[in-house]
């Protein structure tokens, strides 16, 4: 069996002579185009989206400065993007230092912008003056239109360089009125291998922006996403700010107390806005922002918030004698205790923020910590005093967490002591590797003793460790920590990895930098994989975030004909192999005017989507959706993005629009007759001597559409089978519209007048399958050790999926839906997707 060479290949040096002639100086935009990753992180899909964020951030800065109220973002069909704002408009007068217009200076010069001197912007998200110029440098073309001083000034750029002078004209009837800036660009295909946009990611980011800027309207639409689900035209505007944000996030999480603690105040030039509410989950969700930039790694504002939260809740509990006096009673709450089940949004706006790196993942300003701690301390104390019932519920939630933490610590200590008494810290079932460098080591978490035995025999002992698990591990979504730690398989997994879990997780102690889940390709294997993913997401999210968690992809089939054999990892690969082996002399042509002609490999590439289309079409028939309705939904552009949002009542003020549900919902916040600014900024709570007001929330019904007498609802429109038909149709459209087909084998016509629906069956009946053997593999234990190495464990040949959680809130939602205690969301999910399941082993 061939084994991987683990020794690094020789690294040869450059020329022995090294002089000034070897030093390259790149000027202007050349450096950006040469090393785009330094400025936007990646040239993948995230990099394409980063360009949009840079331009929109500039418009948001105008809004934060009080000069803009609306931003329109359009992703055009050709992949270009247009961003329009109603701000002041980029200056177009001559810049003294560069001799160019201010507009051209901003667009073609790095580190040039209005955010350095403090005159143009008091608060901004863009700090380095590279956003617009980097977008310009990495775009095939860019066009900027500025509306100000009752004139419209336009300039075009190509790959970072201006093409001609600024053109100035007076506005006409078709132009946008008022002041503002319009920026259009198309990402450069020389820089980005693929121009694509993830609709959901983009929509969620701009929804966040709208929450963080009260009153700002953000309109997002896309002609590029013709099959966007549920729709590709959304408008966000939230008067409630981060308070509405928290209510929205907690809507499906079961709030522990009814009122949201809200604080908004300015201290020493730092604008602080905080909202928080507890839910019945076991995890903390704390979203932090600085100048509307997401600070995923936290920083001084999060530190100040946590410090105030722990101190105030302990003071409130002691003052109201909520701690017991017995030997085993809780005497104080730790930071971990008071953050269990917390949903919080922390937004600060700072004149001169200090971010760590261009990615701005962590805020470093020390003065922000004091400002946040002071404001949260004061407002949270007032909230608890004004809402004693809410306070009691919060303390009860935290003390329950403290008792569970104490029990979990005992269970953890018991695991450690047990391992020590067994004579070692590693579980006995672990077959460890000899490599001591974690960066060079990997561990396979394998389903069952049988597969574990094959993996141990087939592995490369030097750098591959094997940990077999017996049966299905505990569903940690429904279990308290102490019960989870008492589970033998989970205890073995924690011990083998060595890094701890939760707040005790230590990346430096992680013993393997590739943690690979390897389960059978059947329903039980998928369930075990899901349970393991739930465990890692809830208890070791750093393993996911740092890119250490993978899913092995064992082959589904072994196909052979004669002496030729191949491992196949998907239905599509099987179809392609079959086409090459069985359809080598077969040709499909149209009998009509269409020039359609498919041979060999092309037949294989079209068969998988064709079968998927037919399967989904069968699902829609089970749902009793007429074929003529499906035809319109799939083929007619008029039905590509139906909007099921309820019609907005004319007498109502602007409500919030949710991209998650597609519904317009009226705010469920108490009405306040006071018009003072102080009343607007007060927490959402009843005054001490008043009963909370009952507010009736009107839920408006979704729209429906009549199609040839059939009533189309949003649930039907969003059904996965319908969405799959719409996404597959462009791939097989030519085949479907070609009319009757002929199948030719060699020089003989073997079938005529074949409808596209009958093509798979016709090909199966006309192909020669003698000597062909296709074996379906479901269990890893079915493979010999050398086969397991060859297909799934050999680094030179294996296929693995890296586990990521780009949107932590969306990931949290799906785990709560599928693995949590609430049955209704899971039932709805199953009802919507059950008919789409394939290869179900019953």
């Amino acid at each position: 069996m061939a084994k991987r060479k683990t020794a690094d290949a020789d690294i040869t040096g450059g020329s022995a002579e090294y002089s000034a002639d070897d030093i390259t100086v790149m000027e202007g935009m050349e450096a950006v185009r040469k090393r785009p990753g330094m400025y936007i992180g990646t040239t993948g899909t995230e990099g394409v989206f980063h360009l949009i964020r840079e331009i929109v951030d500039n418009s948001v800065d105008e809004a934060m400065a009080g000069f803009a109220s609306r931003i329109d973002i359009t992703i055009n069909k050709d992949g270009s993007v247009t961003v329009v704002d109603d701000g002041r408009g980029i200056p177009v007068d001559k810049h003294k230092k560069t001799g160019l217009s201010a507009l051209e200076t901003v667009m073609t010069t790095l580190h040039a912008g209005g955010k350095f001197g403090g005159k143009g912007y008091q608060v901004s998200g863009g700090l380095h003056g590279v956003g617009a110029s980097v977008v310009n440098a990495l775009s095939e073309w860019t066009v900027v239109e500025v509306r100000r001083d009752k004139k419209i000034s336009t300039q075009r750029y190509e790959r970072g360089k201006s093409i001609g002078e600024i053109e100035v004209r007076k506005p006409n009837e078709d132009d946008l009125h008022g002041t503002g800036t319009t920026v259009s660009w198309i990402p450069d295909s020389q820089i980005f291998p693929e121009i694509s946009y993830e609709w959901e990611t983009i929509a969620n980011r701009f929804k966040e922006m709208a929450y963080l800027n009260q009153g700002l309207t953000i309109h997002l639409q896309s002609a590029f996403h013709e099959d966007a689900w549920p729709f590709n035209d959304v408008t966000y505007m939230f008067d409630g700010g981060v308070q509405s944000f928290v209510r929205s996030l907690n809507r499906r999480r079961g709030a522990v107390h009814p009122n949201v603690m809200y604080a908004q105040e300015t201290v020493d030039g730092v604008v602080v806005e905080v909202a928080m509410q507890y839910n019945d989950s076991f995890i903390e969700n704390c979203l932090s922002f600085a100048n509307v930039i997401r600070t995923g790694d936290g920083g001084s504002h999060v530190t100040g918030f946590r410090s105030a939260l722990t101190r105030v809740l302990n003071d409130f509990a002691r003052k109201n004698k909520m701690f017991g006096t017995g030997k085993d009673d809780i005497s104080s709450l730790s930071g971990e205790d008071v953050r269990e089940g917390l949903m919080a949004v922390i937004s600060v706006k700072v004149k001169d923020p200090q971010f760590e790196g261009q990615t701005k993942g962590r805020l470093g300003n020390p003065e922000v910590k004091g400002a946040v701690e002071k404001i949260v301390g004061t407002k949270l104390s007032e909230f608890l005093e004004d809402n004693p019932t809410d306070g009691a519920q919060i303390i009860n939630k935290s003390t329950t967490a403290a008792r569970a933490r104490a029990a979990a610590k005992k269970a953890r200590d018991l695991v450690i002591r047990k391992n020590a008494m067994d004579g070692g810290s590693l579980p006995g079932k672990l077959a460890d590797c000899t490599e001591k460098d974690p960066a060079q080591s990997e561990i396979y978490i394998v389903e069952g003793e049988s597969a574990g035995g094959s993996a141990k025999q087939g592995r490369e002992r030097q750098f591959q460790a094997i940990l077999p698990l017996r049966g299905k591990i505990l569903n940690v979504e429904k279990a308290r920590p102490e019960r989870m730690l008492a589970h033998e398989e989970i205890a073995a997994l924690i011990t083998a990895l060595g890094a701890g879990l939760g707040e005790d997780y230590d990346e430096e102690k992680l013993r393997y930098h590739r943690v690979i889940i390897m389960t059978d390709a059947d329903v039980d294997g998928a369930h075990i994989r899901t349970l393991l993913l739930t465990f890692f997401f809830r208890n070791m999210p750093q393993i996911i975030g740092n890119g250490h968690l993978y899913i092995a992809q064992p082959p589904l089939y072994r196909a052979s004909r004669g002496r030729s054999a191949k491992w196949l990892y998907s239905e599509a690969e099987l179809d392609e192999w079959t086409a090459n082996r069985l359809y080598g002399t077969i040709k499909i042509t149209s009998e009509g005017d269409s020039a359609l002609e498919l041979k060999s490999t092309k037949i294989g590439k079209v068969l998988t989507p064709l079968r998927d289309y037919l399967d989904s079409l069968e699902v829609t028939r089970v749902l009793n959706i007429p074929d003529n309705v499906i035809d319109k939904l799939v083929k007619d552009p008029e039905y590509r993005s139906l909007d099921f949002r309820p019609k907005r009542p004319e007498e109502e003020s602007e409500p919030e629009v949710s991209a998650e549900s597609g519904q317009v919902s009226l705010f469920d916040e108490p009405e306040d007759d006071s018009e003072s600014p102080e009343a607007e900024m007060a927490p959402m709570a009843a005054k001490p001597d008043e009963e909370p007001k009952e507010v009736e929330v009107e839920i408006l019904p979704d729209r429906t559409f009549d199609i040839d007498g059939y009533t189309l609802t949003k649930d039907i429109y969003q059904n996965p089978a319908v969405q799959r038909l719409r996404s597959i149709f462009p791939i097989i459209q030519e085949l479907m519209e070609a009319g009757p087909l002929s199948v030719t084998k060699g020089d003989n016509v073997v079938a005529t007048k074949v409808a596209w629906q009958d093509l798979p069956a016709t090909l199966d009946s006309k192909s020669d399958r003698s000597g062909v053997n296709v074996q379906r593999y479901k269990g890893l234990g079915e493979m010999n050790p050398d086969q397991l190495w060859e297909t799934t464990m050999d680094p030179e040949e294996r296929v693995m999926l890296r586990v990521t959680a780009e949107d932590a809130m969306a990931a949290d939602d799906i785990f709560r839906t599928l693995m949590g205690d609430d049955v209704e969301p899971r039932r709805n999910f199953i009802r919507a997707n059950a008919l789409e399941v394939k290869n179900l082993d019953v």
Side-chain angles (χ1 to χ4, degrees):
M1 166 171 46
K3 296 291 184 179
R4 176 191 183 192
K5 295 179 180 179
T6 56
D8 292 334
D10 292 336
I11 301 175
T12 57
S15 171
E17 295 186 9
Y18 182 52
S19 65
D21 294 337
D22 297 308
I23 304 300
T24 300
V25 178
M26 293 184 290
E27 298 180 356
M29 299 295 99
E30 184 184 357
V32 180
R33 292 183 61 81
K34 188 71 174 178
R35 297 285 186 268
M38 286 182 59
Y39 299 88
I40 62 171
T42 174
T43 55
T45 303
E46 177 58 30
V48 175
F49 176 37
H50 192 104
L51 302 186
I52 304 179
R53 295 211 315 264
E54 289 286 4
I55 298 300
V56 173
D57 282 350
N58 291 337
S59 298
V60 170
D61 290 342
E62 281 287 286
M64 288 194 291
F67 298 105
S69 61
R70 182 182 177 95
I71 303 170
D72 288 86
I73 305 125
T74 302
I75 304 173
N76 302 302
K77 193 168 185 177
D78 62 354
S80 64
V81 182
T82 301
V83 176
V84 183
D85 67 49
D86 59 355
R88 292 170 289 183
I90 301 173
V92 294
D93 50 320
K94 190 173 183 179
H95 191 273
K96 294 179 181 178
K97 185 173 181 179
T98 63
L100 304 171
S101 69
L103 171 60
E104 188 170 347
T105 300
V106 167
M107 296 302 296
T108 62
T109 307
L110 290 177
H111 307 293
K115 297 153 191 179
F116 295 107
K119 296 180 181 179
Y121 298 89
Q122 291 296 312
V123 172
S124 69
L127 302 172
H128 302 149
V130 299
S133 55
V134 165
V135 173
N136 192 17
L138 300 179
S139 298
E140 185 177 329
W141 55 259
T142 306
V143 176
V144 182
E145 180 183 279
V146 176
R147 304 180 304 282
R148 60 181 292 159
D149 303 325
K150 297 182 180 180
K151 294 182 293 186
I152 294 180
S153 304
T154 307
Q155 190 168 29
R156 181 181 174 91
Y157 311 86
E158 292 182 4
R159 296 187 168 95
K161 297 178 181 179
S162 61
I163 306 297
E165 300 295 323
I166 294 178
E167 297 179 2
V168 182
R169 62 178 175 83
K170 291 184 178 181
N172 54 45
E173 293 181 359
D174 297 328
D175 291 317
L176 294 172
H177 298 290
T179 61
T181 304
T182 300
V183 183
S184 299
W185 73 94
I186 187 166
D188 193 348
S189 58
Q190 294 179 5
I191 303 294
F192 302 95
E194 180 185 2
I195 310 300
S196 64
Y197 301 91
E198 295 181 358
W199 170 261
E200 210 167 305
T201 300
I202 296 171
N204 285 338
R205 172 57 184 151
F206 294 135
K207 184 179 182 182
E208 280 183 359
M209 279 190 172
Y211 275 123
L212 298 168
N213 292 275
Q214 292 186 40
L216 173 64
T217 299
I218 298 180
H219 174 225
L220 172 65
Q221 60 180 340
S222 173
F224 185 83
H225 299 86
E226 292 186 349
D227 298 309
W229 178 80
F231 50 83
N232 55 4
D233 190 329
V234 291
T235 300
Y236 302 119
M237 196 282 285
F238 303 102
D239 285 327
V242 301
Q243 188 172 203
S244 295
F245 199 176
V246 167
R247 283 194 180 279
S248 173
L249 293 171
N250 258 351
R251 195 166 291 157
R252 291 184 293 172
R253 286 177 169 80
V256 169
H257 53 99
N259 296 307
V260 176
M261 194 293 290
Y262 177 65
Q264 184 186 46
E265 199 169 312
T266 303
V267 173
D268 299 331
V270 180
V271 180
V272 179
E273 189 178 12
V274 175
M276 55 170 276
Q277 185 184 39
Y278 285 83
N279 56 53
D280 58 12
S281 72
F282 302 143
I283 63 170
E284 171 195 9
N285 280 304
C286 181
L287 305 182
S288 63
F289 302 84
N291 293 6
V292 196
I293 303 297
R294 171 78 78 91
T295 48
D297 298 327
S300 54
H301 51 333
V302 176
T303 303
F305 169 78
R306 288 177 170 177
S307 177
L309 179 69
T310 306
R311 173 175 52 80
V312 170
L313 289 182
N314 273 298
D315 290 346
F316 178 77
R318 291 191 186 99
K319 179 181 176 181
N320 291 277
K321 297 181 172 54
M322 294 180 177
F323 291 145
T325 57
K327 178 181 177 182
D328 296 326
D329 284 329
I330 301 297
S331 59
S332 66
L333 299 169
S334 69
E336 188 177 356
D337 299 331
V338 299
R339 294 197 297 273
E340 183 177 291
L342 173 66
M343 179 67 72
V345 176
I346 307 163
S347 175
V348 297
K349 295 173 182 175
V350 192
K351 182 177 180 180
D352 187 21
Q354 300 167 13
F355 290 109
E356 293 185 2
Q358 170 67 8
T359 56
K360 305 170 186 174
R362 184 177 178 85
L363 183 67
N365 298 60
E367 73 276 11
V368 173
K369 176 182 180 296
V372 174
E373 188 170 356
K374 180 180 179 181
I375 292 170
V376 173
T378 301
K379 294 296 183 181
L380 180 56
S381 296
E382 293 175 0
F383 174 83
L384 295 172
E385 293 296 333
D386 293 346
N387 300 274
T389 302
D390 290 56
Q393 290 167 329
I394 292 172
I395 297 300
N396 182 58
K397 168 80 174 175
S398 299
T399 52
T400 301
R403 292 187 182 95
R405 177 176 56 84
K409 186 177 184 303
K410 290 179 181 178
R412 196 157 46 233
D413 292 344
L414 180 63
V415 170
I416 295 172
R417 283 198 303 272
K418 181 180 177 182
N419 287 329
M421 291 175 66
D422 288 342
S425 60
L426 296 176
K429 61 172 67 179
L430 172 69
D432 206 2
C433 58
T434 57
E435 175 64 60
K436 299 304 179 187
D437 181 3
Q440 302 298 323
S441 305
E442 56 191 38
I443 182 171
Y444 279 85
I445 304 169
V446 183
E447 170 193 352
E449 299 293 341
S450 174
S454 293
K456 288 177 183 179
Q457 294 178 54
R459 66 174 174 146
E460 172 54 72
R461 188 182 302 270
Q462 182 175 345
F463 64 95
Q464 292 180 326
I466 308 295
L467 179 67
L469 298 180
R470 186 178 62 230
K472 296 178 180 178
I473 70 166
L474 187 70
N475 178 8
V476 300
E477 189 73 16
K478 299 180 180 180
R480 299 284 325 180
E482 65 274 17
R483 184 171 169 229
M484 176 188 74
L485 288 166
H487 187 76
E488 182 180 347
E489 303 301 306
I490 291 179
L493 178 56
I494 295 169
T495 307
L497 296 180
L501 71 163
E503 291 201 344
D504 295 331
Y505 179 87
D506 185 351
E507 177 80 7
E508 296 296 321
K509 295 181 180 178
L510 184 64
R511 302 182 65 246
Y512 314 92
H513 281 190
R514 286 181 296 279
V515 180
I516 305 164
I517 299 172
M518 186 164 68
T519 59
D520 292 345
D522 59 12
V523 172
D524 281 340
H527 190 199
I528 292 171
R529 184 166 61 245
T530 304
L531 291 169
L532 285 166
L533 289 172
T534 306
F535 166 76
F536 283 116
F537 183 75
R538 291 305 189 203
N539 296 280
M540 298 182 185
Q542 300 90 336
I543 283 184
I544 297 175
N546 295 334
H548 296 314
L549 188 61
Y550 298 82
I551 296 175
Q553 295 291 285
L556 291 180
Y557 302 97
R558 187 176 189 273
S560 63
R561 186 172 196 178
R563 296 183 178 180
S564 173
K566 188 174 183 180
W567 295 99
L568 305 172
Y569 293 82
S570 66
E571 299 286 345
E573 285 191 17
L574 176 62
D575 278 335
E576 193 166 337
W577 182 91
T578 304
N580 288 330
R581 297 298 183 277
L582 304 184
Y583 308 149
T585 60
I586 288 180
K587 181 171 65 174
I588 300 170
T589 56
S590 169
E591 296 178 4
D593 297 332
S594 171
L596 176 74
E597 181 177 287
L598 299 175
K599 296 180 181 178
S600 187
T601 302
K602 287 186 178 180
I603 297 176
K605 289 184 181 298
V606 81
L607 272 181
T608 300
L610 180 58
R611 286 195 179 103
D612 287 344
Y613 191 92
L614 290 170
D615 289 344
S616 296
L617 193 61
E618 194 60 37
V619 171
T620 63
R621 288 167 179 163
V622 172
L623 295 172
N624 295 317
I625 309 174
D627 285 352
N628 63 307
V629 173
I630 290 296
D631 278 348
K632 288 190 175 181
L633 293 179
V634 170
K635 301 175 183 178
D636 193 337
E638 182 182 344
Y639 296 91
R640 285 285 172 87
S641 59
L642 296 178
D643 187 352
F644 290 84
R645 289 173 292 181
K647 292 183 179 179
R648 190 173 300 175
E650 293 180 359
E651 68 274 11
E652 295 290 345
S653 61
E654 187 84 6
E656 78 178 65
V657 181
S658 168
E660 296 167 344
S661 64
Q663 293 186 2
V664 176
S665 57
L666 303 181
F667 291 135
D668 57 349
E669 300 171 329
E671 298 174 357
D672 192 341
D673 295 332
S674 173
E675 297 181 357
S676 68
E678 291 80 5
E680 283 186 317
M681 293 165 55
M684 269 187 51
K687 296 178 181 178
D689 298 325
E690 294 181 1
E691 291 294 324
K693 295 180 180 179
E694 292 292 332
V695 180
E696 183 177 349
V697 181
E698 182 183 3
I699 304 298
L700 301 177
D702 293 328
R703 293 184 194 178
T704 59
F705 293 85
D706 183 272
I707 304 178
D708 299 337
Y710 178 83
T711 301
L712 180 69
T713 65
K714 186 177 72 172
D715 287 341
I716 290 295
Y717 187 70
Q718 295 179 0
N719 186 277
V722 176
Q723 297 304 316
R724 182 170 287 128
L725 288 173
R726 296 172 65 195
S727 64
I728 295 174
F729 175 71
I731 302 172
I732 60 173
Q733 180 177 2
E734 186 182 7
L735 178 66
M736 292 175 64
E737 296 176 349
L741 303 169
S742 291
V743 179
T744 305
K745 188 174 184 180
D747 296 329
N748 301 318
V749 176
V750 295
T752 59
K753 300 189 184 313
V754 179
W756 64 268
Q757 301 96 321
D758 301 326
L759 189 58
T762 301
L763 290 173
D764 286 342
S765 65
K766 301 302 179 182
S767 60
D768 179 12
R769 292 186 170 270
S770 59
V772 172
N773 181 36
V774 177
Q775 184 178 358
R776 170 74 162 93
Y777 279 81
K778 296 181 181 179
L780 298 171
E782 297 177 17
M783 292 189 222
N784 298 326
D786 59 333
Q787 292 177 324
L788 191 58
W789 163 263
E790 176 188 345
T791 61
T792 317
M793 301 180 70
D794 182 358
E796 303 290 339
E797 302 292 336
R798 68 188 177 189
V799 177
M800 294 198 306
L801 303 178
R802 174 175 278 171
V803 179
T804 62
E806 299 297 336
D807 187 339
M809 298 305 298
D812 177 61
D813 277 341
I814 196 67
F815 277 113
R816 285 179 63 84
T817 297
L818 298 182
M819 309 300 288
D821 286 318
D822 198 350
V823 175
E824 189 63 27
R826 184 159 53 252
R827 182 189 295 124
N828 293 337
F829 181 89
I830 293 171
R831 282 175 175 169
N833 294 275
L835 293 174
E836 289 293 292
V837 175
K838 294 184 179 182
N839 299 322
L840 182 62
D841 303 315
V842 179

